Amino acid sequence: MKRKEVVAMLLAGGQGKRLKGLTKTLAKPAVYFGGTYRIIDFPLSNCSNSGIDTVGVLTQYEPLVLHSYIGVGSDWDMDRRSGGVYVLPPYEREDGTSWYRGTADAIYRNLKFIEQYDPEHVLILSGDHIYKMDYERMLDYHKEKNADCTISVIDVTLAEATRFGILNTDDDLCIYEFEEKPAKPKSTLASMGVYLFKWDILKKYLLQNVDHPDTSHDFGKDIIPLMLAEEKTLYAYPFQGYWKDVGTIDSLWEANMDLLSEYSELNLNDPEWRIYTRNPNQPAEYIAPGAKVRNCMINEGCSVYGEVNHSVLFYGVEVGEGSVVTDSVIMPQVKIGRNVRIHRAIITENMVIEDGAVIGAGREDNSEILLITNDNETAPSANASFPTPTI
Amino acid sequence: MKQLMGVINLDHELDLLNELTYFRCGAAVPFAGRYRLIDFVMSNMMHAGVLDIALFVRRKYRSLMDHLGEGRPWDLDRKRGGLFILPPDWNDPSDVSTGELQHIHNNQDFFERGSAKYVVYSGSQHLSNVDFCDAYEHHLKQGADVTLIYTKVDQLQPEHQSCTRLDVDGSGRVTDIHRERDHPNVYMEMFIMEKEMFLTLVKQCIAHGESHFFRDAIQKNRNKLNIAGYEYKGYHAVINSLESYYRNSLDLLQPEKYNSLFREQPVHTKIKYEVPAKYLETADVSNSLVANGCQIGGAVENSILFRGVQVKEGARVHNSIIMQKCVIEENAVLENVILDKDVVISRGRQLQGDVRKPFVVAKDTAI
């Protein structure tokens, strides 16, 4: 097997409980975002654009959609002779069977996968965030600092710092302490969940940690503190640009809305840094006479006869005559009938909204974001009909 | 269907779309916001399960090759068979064939290697979503030597003038082939024939110094061959002139036409990874088709915007077709215009064509 300088390991097994109905039948990285993408498109495209061609995707929770979505990885240019993208679910071994017990455990159980490529560095990514990042620059930094581990950080406000894993560093960005959700943060550098390790060092700590009685098999809780305790060289890599954890219904909605401003910080239209995705191959969207479409992002395959304002429409959505959709995210193939009102809602895939339905309209502009799913259905592709609700 | 091998012959298609075909063949002309004309016949063959397609090209095929690549969007990047783009590079000193027969003579390997027993032969100018499987079954049922695919056109347009017409009797047999201008049965330049017979007829034609398979092997032999007609009844458009291109494009703004072309079965094309179209606060879009990657701040009406077009604030686009990556700057006004790819219309500029004769701007220019 050809040697690789870097192998990326993408943690995609999480459920994302706070996304409620959205992750009922799929893992969080497979959740839709931005009119055409799934969250995992971002780290995968970043890898592809950064020249990292070997990626292990660790799956566990509801992996069907993810597995079939990733396929052989050709959409991200990852169908390679050597390397490429590999889906790595937990598997049965001689010494017994168990699920991945934590982020570090997931990597530990795939030592053999990584060893095949005899890499110098291993990049740990998570499938939970929306951002564009050149990992190659981070690698240059990591090598320049001769770090054992480099953690990508983003500067947050002091108030926000209480919600993140915070890295305390000296002036040179050398890390001396890691605090998970500190009540009184000493710094505002939040970990983005992007770790770059020297592989031999990481391997040593994974082996050392796995049998530790108190371990929770987690990078943030176990591996990083252990390395700090043993005075390894850890550096923070300051990232600038758009980065968002879309872990809740509100933050997912917000991230979608962020795309609508004319000069959005997250430019998805950059030919030098394309975000690749599985293309649904739909015809150009049709905007009918009398339709009103403002401040929107609308994907191919849509037919709009009504009014859409400040919203994101995924592919194949229909908006009937006289309907008004505002401040909402409408996921693929949703059929919205006539004279429907939708305000501040996320409507999930394949829903049918009947004529005259009112969803969330007439509420304050800061009211809760409604998530409309059909709880009776188990298969995400099944057509669901939504009775006329007034909320 | 493993029984069918496809031939798309572009040799005798004239490039009559003015500026749009100066540097590309007709089959490579962009259409409907994100396709090229060839995508329709390619997709129809794909849906019929055709596993080998030979594409005969002679001129201006660079952009076509770029578009088709290995044929991946149509699932033709196969271990066996797949897509063969066959330009005229042949060097048989004993070759006496002429015209389109040169392609067949010089690419006999394609026909011999493929395991399919029947050939489905097509051009690129008739847009449809004809079901070749159904036509093939019709061919077998009729026990015909060749089955010609045609459609009944209620309202004949100027582009139909140059089309061949078929007389079909009550039993579905083609009794005459001609060019009477007011005859409604328009031959769609698609036929199905057994491979053996096809190759035999090609040899005969070459031996007699002939050059055009349909005319010389089928039309001239119409009394000797058992010719069946297969009537197709779905979306149909002929694109063989600028005028027909413009009118048939804008016709897709009628939902019935749009649905009959795109909703029956997917049409596949080369994939671009553009972001969904963005409509700004100042956008005013109505009765238009918009592809991904567009950013619209101006007014767009009765128009088609291809991928990655920018219409800036205050600009107005009316009855126009704007191809990939064009930029319409602030307060520019376009009416009855076709912009080829990568055109920049500068601030305040006004361009106006006629409804019957749109004003065309060639690729990569700034006005």
Side-chain angles (χ1 to χ4, degrees), chain A residues 74-75 79 259 261-262 269 274 276-277 281-288 293-301, chain B residues 34-35 72 253 258 263 267-268 272-281 283 287-293:
Chain A
S74 54
D75 283 299
D79 50 335
L259 295 171
S261 69
E262 187 168 359
N269 215 356
R274 280 258 177 263
Y276 301 107
T277 184
N281 192 41
Q282 298 276 320
E285 69 243 32
Y286 177 61
I287 310 296
V293 175
R294 301 266 159 85
N295 262 325
C296 286
M297 200 169 217
I298 300 184
N299 199 355
E300 291 171 338
Chain B
R34 62 194 289 274
Y35 303 94
R72 183 165 208 155
L253 299 175
Y258 176 90
R263 297 293 190 211
V267 182
H268 293 273
K272 300 268 168 74
Y273 294 87
E274 301 269 6
V275 69
K278 202 160 165 179
Y279 299 75
L280 305 179
E281 179 74 50
N287 200 35
S288 294
L289 291 183
V290 180
N292 279 352

Side-chain angles (χ1 to χ4, degrees), chain A residues 78-369:
Chain A
M78 294 265 182
D79 50 335
R80 304 298 179 101
R81 289 254 171 265
S82 155
V85 66
Y86 289 84
V87 175
L88 304 168
Y91 57 92
E92 191 175 343
R93 301 184 310 175
E94 201 183 12
D95 61 359
T97 306
S98 77
W99 299 108
Y100 292 148
R101 290 167 292 183
T103 49
D105 189 46
I107 305 298
Y108 166 76
R109 305 263 217 103
N110 287 287
L111 281 179
K112 277 186 279 182
F113 169 77
I114 299 171
E115 294 277 81
Q116 291 180 101
Y117 299 100
D118 187 20
E120 266 170 71
H121 309 280
V122 168
L123 177 67
I124 309 290
L125 302 169
S126 83
D128 298 348
H129 305 123
I130 305 292
Y131 66 115
K132 298 197 303 183
M133 179 173 174
D134 189 345
Y135 302 134
E136 203 172 5
R137 280 165 61 182
M138 181 174 178
L139 177 65
D140 290 344
Y141 177 92
H142 174 71
K143 287 194 279 193
E144 185 192 303
K145 297 284 185 190
N146 194 21
D148 296 316
C149 171
T150 301
I151 303 174
S152 182
V153 295
I154 187 156
D155 210 0
V156 296
T157 63
L158 207 55
E160 286 174 319
T162 56
R163 296 192 287 117
F164 289 101
I166 295 297
L167 296 169
N168 300 322
T169 69
D170 64 20
D171 292 345
D172 188 35
L173 293 172
C174 185
I175 302 166
Y176 65 85
E177 191 183 18
F178 174 83
E179 289 182 294
E180 185 68 33
K181 295 176 185 157
K184 284 186 185 161
K186 288 176 227 158
S187 128
T188 54
L189 298 179
S191 165
M192 294 163 58
V194 177
Y195 308 100
L196 190 51
F197 289 96
K198 277 184 185 156
W199 171 234
D200 52 351
I201 307 265
L202 175 62
K203 190 177 158 189
K204 183 182 140 217
Y205 281 93
L206 288 174
L207 292 169
Q208 191 179 324
N209 181 253
V210 70
D211 295 323
H212 197 278
D214 301 328
T215 183
S216 48
H217 304 282
D218 187 81
F219 277 102
K221 290 189 191 111
D222 305 293
I223 303 290
I224 303 297
L226 194 60
M227 286 178 77
L228 285 169
E230 296 194 1
E231 296 188 337
K232 291 284 158 195
T233 326
L234 282 80
Y235 271 89
Y237 171 72
F239 171 79
Q240 268 154 1
Y242 187 93
W243 178 83
K244 195 146 196 156
D245 181 352
V246 286
T248 63
I249 297 295
D250 280 358
S251 64
L252 180 68
W253 177 86
E254 254 175 51
N256 276 285
M257 295 300 126
D258 286 345
L259 295 171
L260 298 177
S261 69
E262 187 168 359
Y263 302 101
S264 165
E265 224 192 321
L266 180 64
N267 176 14
L268 299 180
N269 215 356
D270 178 2
E272 301 302 312
W273 204 271
R274 280 258 177 263
I275 304 302
Y276 301 107
T277 184
R278 176 72 58 97
N279 191 299
N281 192 41
Q282 298 276 320
E285 69 243 32
Y286 177 61
I287 310 296
K292 245 194 192 161
V293 175
R294 301 266 159 85
N295 262 325
C296 286
M297 200 169 217
I298 300 184
N299 199 355
E300 291 171 338
C302 289
S303 299
V304 181
Y305 291 82
E307 189 179 329
V308 184
N309 203 341
H310 201 251
S311 296
V312 174
L313 268 53
F314 283 72
Y315 60 86
V317 169
E318 283 174 29
V319 180
E321 236 169 285
S323 291
V324 181
V325 177
T326 46
D327 298 345
S328 295
V329 177
I330 316 292
M331 288 183 176
Q333 312 282 13
V334 170
K335 308 295 172 217
I336 298 172
R338 292 162 185 240
N339 304 313
V340 171
R341 296 280 176 283
I342 299 175
H343 182 57
R344 291 178 71 81
I346 295 177
I347 316 271
T348 55
E349 214 176 345
N350 291 315
M351 296 282 302
V352 175
I353 311 294
E354 287 170 6
D355 292 356
V358 178
I359 297 170
R363 292 179 307 149
E364 296 292 315
D365 271 351
N366 55 6
S367 52
E368 192 197 350
I369 303 304

Side-chain angles (χ1 to χ4, degrees), chain A residues 35-55:
Chain A
T36 193
Y37 308 99
R38 293 184 188 264
I39 297 170
I40 197 167
D41 289 333
F42 287 83
L44 282 179
S45 300
N46 287 340
C47 283
S48 181
N49 288 321
S50 304
I52 295 174
D53 62 9
T54 307
V55 182

Side-chain angles (χ1 to χ4, degrees), chain B residues 196-212:
Chain B
E196 288 306 314
M197 178 181 274
F198 174 73
L199 293 175
T200 308
L201 286 170
V202 166
K203 274 185 200 132
Q204 276 177 22
C205 284
I206 293 171
H208 290 84
E210 288 165 334
S211 61
H212 191 292

Side-chain angles (χ1 to χ4, degrees), chain B residues 179-196:
Chain B
R179 286 207 176 175
E180 283 175 27
R181 286 191 170 182
D182 49 359
H183 197 288
N185 290 348
V186 170
Y187 170 53
M188 289 165 59
E189 293 180 29
M190 299 169 183
F191 68 79
I192 293 175
M193 188 183 254
E194 203 177 348
K195 185 168 76 180
E196 288 306 314

